[in-house]
């Protein structure tokens, strides 16, 4: 089956706008899959190939979270504005705007999985299933695991990273070049990166407001407002079937993901042996098969 036509638009969100793209027909009767991207402060681009899942007739919704991509940019706002609650409200607003709040499936990748888990723990009536892909249940855990992964980098790379982090010069070209050693091992192992993956990283580079405020200058140097955030104590409240996805070489290590498996009541976990943080592009055929199997199970429930 060919991929259905796409529609694009903006959902008003207070004084701002959330950009979205729908692949397929939201009135088809099939439960739509809503994709929540990572960052915070990234864009939908690196998840674009997941539109392939619309070939089955299921509508797939991408959107850019506030602050980046096609949504409203607000470079003057600080940490008091960029909160988890803001992005939860934005997601609720989008579901209402699209008219799907009573029937949807949520896929959250990386930070998007943290957001999706927070959303699911509120037990929204229309949520039918949840996918948490390459996500940490706790940023304190994430930070501990980043130290383990960093310790395996070449000594000269470690020295460059720490020198710039100590000096506050993480915006330098030398620091960025050193981060690529980590990213090539634990974020995306493809060489070169797919165009849509590179596009999301360039979007962060062009407007790093949200990423720097909530996360920090790199994936492994989290000094922003999320550094102490954890969703672990709310996971028992997730009451829908849940699929966990992670890569064997993922920056979201087994220890980061384990609390989801331990505390969500109805959960399965798929590990992609040849992937790091992006199995949807690193092992696309297996990824699609795993996703289609999980979605078919939700349809049959």
């Amino acid at each position: 089956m060919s991929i259905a036509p796409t529609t694009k638009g903006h959902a008003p969100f207070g004084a701002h706008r959330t950009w979205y793209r729908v692949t397929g027909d939201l009135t088809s009767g099939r439960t739509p899959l809503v994709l929540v991207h990572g960052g915070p402060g990234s864009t939908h681009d690196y998840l674009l190939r997941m539109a392939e899942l619309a070939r089955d007739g299921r509508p797939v919704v991408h959107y850019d979270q506030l602050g980046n991509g096609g949504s409203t940019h607000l470079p003057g706002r600080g940490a008091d504005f960029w909160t988890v609650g803001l992005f939860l409200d934005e997601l609720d607003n989008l579901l209402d705007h699209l008219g799907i709040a009573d029937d949807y499936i949520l896929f959250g990748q990386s930070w998007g999985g943290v957001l999706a888990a927070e959303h699911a723990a509120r037990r929204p009536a229309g949520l039918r299933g949840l996918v948490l892909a390459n996500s940490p249940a706790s940023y304190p855990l994430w930070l501990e695991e980043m130290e383990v992964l960093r310790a395996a980098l070449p000594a000269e790379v470690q020295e460059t990273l720490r020198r710039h982090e100590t000096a506050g010069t993480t915006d330098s070209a030398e620091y960025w070049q050193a981060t690529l050693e980590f990213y090539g091992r634990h974020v995306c192992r493809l060489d070169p990166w797919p165009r849509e993956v590179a596009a999301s990283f360039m979007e962060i580079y062009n407007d790093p407001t949200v990423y720097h405020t909530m996360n920090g200058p790199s994936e492994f140097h989290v000094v922003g407002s999320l550094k102490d955030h954890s969703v672990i104590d709310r996971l028992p409240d997730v009451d829908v079937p849940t699929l966990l996805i992670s890569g064997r070489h993922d920056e979201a290590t087994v220890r980061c993901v384990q609390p989801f498996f331990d505390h969500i009541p109805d959960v399965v976990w798929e590990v992609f042996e040849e992937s790091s943080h992006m199995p949807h592009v690193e092992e696309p055929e297996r990824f699609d098969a795993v996703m289609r199997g999980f979605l078919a199970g939700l349809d049959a429930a």
Side-chain angles (χ1 to χ4, degrees):
M1 180 184 293
S2 62
I3 294 182
T6 63
T7 57
K8 300 176 183 179
H10 288 89
F13 178 46
H16 315 303
R17 302 197 306 168
T18 301
W19 179 93
Y20 65 84
R21 159 187 162 143
V22 179
T23 306
D25 181 3
L26 290 177
T27 66
S28 66
R30 300 290 301 279
T31 301
L33 177 66
V34 180
L35 309 180
V36 187
H37 67 68
S42 186
T43 60
H44 77 285
D45 299 84
Y46 76 99
L47 295 175
L48 267 175
R49 74 155 303 277
M50 287 187 62
E52 286 289 320
L53 297 173
R55 290 186 185 276
D56 301 338
R58 180 187 309 280
V60 175
V61 178
H62 291 81
Y63 76 102
D64 286 337
Q65 293 162 28
L66 193 66
N68 273 80
S71 296
T72 304
H73 290 232
L74 296 158
R77 299 299 182 95
D80 58 334
F81 180 81
W82 302 111
T83 65
V84 175
L86 171 76
F87 291 107
L88 287 171
D89 290 346
E90 182 186 34
L91 176 56
D92 287 340
N93 181 74
L94 178 66
L95 296 172
D96 288 337
H97 177 81
L98 295 176
I100 59 174
D102 61 348
D103 184 38
Y104 62 99
I105 300 161
L106 212 53
F107 174 99
Q109 201 276 338
S110 196
W111 141 257
V114 178
L115 193 63
E118 294 276 12
H119 176 89
R122 297 179 172 190
R123 299 191 173 183
L127 182 63
R128 305 293 175 234
L130 179 67
V131 183
L132 304 176
N134 319 101
S135 302
S138 157
Y139 279 93
L141 270 180
W142 173 277
L143 283 166
E144 291 175 11
E145 290 298 281
M146 291 307 101
E147 289 303 312
V148 174
L149 297 179
R150 284 175 62 137
L153 295 174
E156 63 274 16
V157 173
Q158 294 185 53
E159 188 279 327
T160 299
L161 294 172
R162 296 204 186 279
R163 173 161 43 85
H164 285 289
E165 288 163 3
T166 299
T169 52
T170 55
D171 57 350
S172 70
E174 187 182 33
Y175 184 81
W176 169 250
Q177 192 62 40
T179 66
L180 295 181
E181 180 70 30
F182 180 96
Y183 288 8
R185 295 182 181 206
H186 302 298
V187 177
C188 183
R189 287 159 59 85
L190 300 180
D191 187 13
W193 283 0
R195 177 181 296 181
E196 63 269 24
V197 173
S200 280
F201 274 83
M202 286 309 299
E203 290 277 3
I204 296 174
Y205 179 82
N206 289 333
D207 187 349
T209 302
V210 183
Y211 188 75
H212 284 181
T213 301
M214 296 185 74
N215 187 83
S218 69
E219 291 291 277
F220 47 81
H221 189 51
V222 180
V223 293
S225 58
L226 283 177
K227 65 181 185 299
D228 298 317
H229 189 78
S230 172
V231 71
I232 292 175
D233 65 348
R234 294 177 288 289
L235 296 178
D237 294 327
V238 176
D239 64 349
V240 293
T242 300
L243 169 64
L244 299 180
I245 288 173
S246 64
R248 180 62 64 194
H249 310 281
D250 207 328
E251 60 179 350
T253 64
V254 168
R255 188 163 173 249
C256 290
V257 179
Q258 189 71 44
F260 291 122
F261 189 73
D262 291 342
H263 298 293
I264 294 176
D266 183 1
V267 62
V268 294
W269 189 355
E270 291 283 347
V271 178
F272 288 73
E273 296 295 334
E274 303 303 321
S275 294
S276 56
H277 200 52
M278 299 188 182
H280 64 283
V281 295
E282 294 173 285
E283 293 181 69
E285 293 83 7
R286 182 172 173 234
F287 178 87
D288 288 356
V290 168
M291 282 294 298
R292 286 192 164 101
F294 178 71
L295 294 171
L298 296 178
D299 290 341

